[in-house]
Amino acid sequence: MAPDVFKFEGFKMGVNYGFEKIRFISTVPVGSKLRLGAKFLSCEELPNALQTLIELTIELQGSTKPACVAQMIVRNIP
């Protein structure tokens, strides 16, 4: 779902470096409609990459609570 929400350009390669603080808040019934939201939390220059921390929120249609909230670490190589 993430490539439909945001895109990094101008890099040779992007790597999903992992996740932090993953929270599964509510169950997702089969056939549910989901929506992904993203918020950029930080960006840090490393010696050979740019590291970005993005908060992803998976929302469940008809629910007041999200299904999942996680922080994704992305490293982009120039």
Side-chain angles (χ1 to χ4, degrees):
M1 292 166 62
D4 294 331
V5 177
F6 60 87
K7 184 177 179 180
F8 291 101
E9 294 182 342
F11 296 96
K12 289 181 185 176
M13 179 174 57
V15 177
N16 177 343
Y17 197 69
F19 286 86
E20 293 185 351
K21 298 182 182 178
I22 300 173
R23 306 254 189 304
F24 296 98
I25 300 166
S26 59
T27 58
V28 178
V30 173
S32 297
K33 292 189 179 186
L34 301 173
R35 177 172 68 179
L36 178 69
K39 179 168 75 170
F40 288 84
L41 299 178
S42 67
C43 191
E44 176 185 0
E45 281 191 59
L46 302 176
N48 295 317
L50 183 67
Q51 180 168 292
T52 307
L53 184 63
I54 305 165
E55 182 178 83
L56 302 175
T57 303
I58 300 174
E59 299 173 349
L60 177 62
Q61 186 177 23
S63 177
T64 57
K65 294 191 260 182
C68 179
V69 177
Q71 292 180 357
M72 180 172 68
I73 304 167
V74 178
R75 285 197 177 172
N76 291 298
I77 315 310

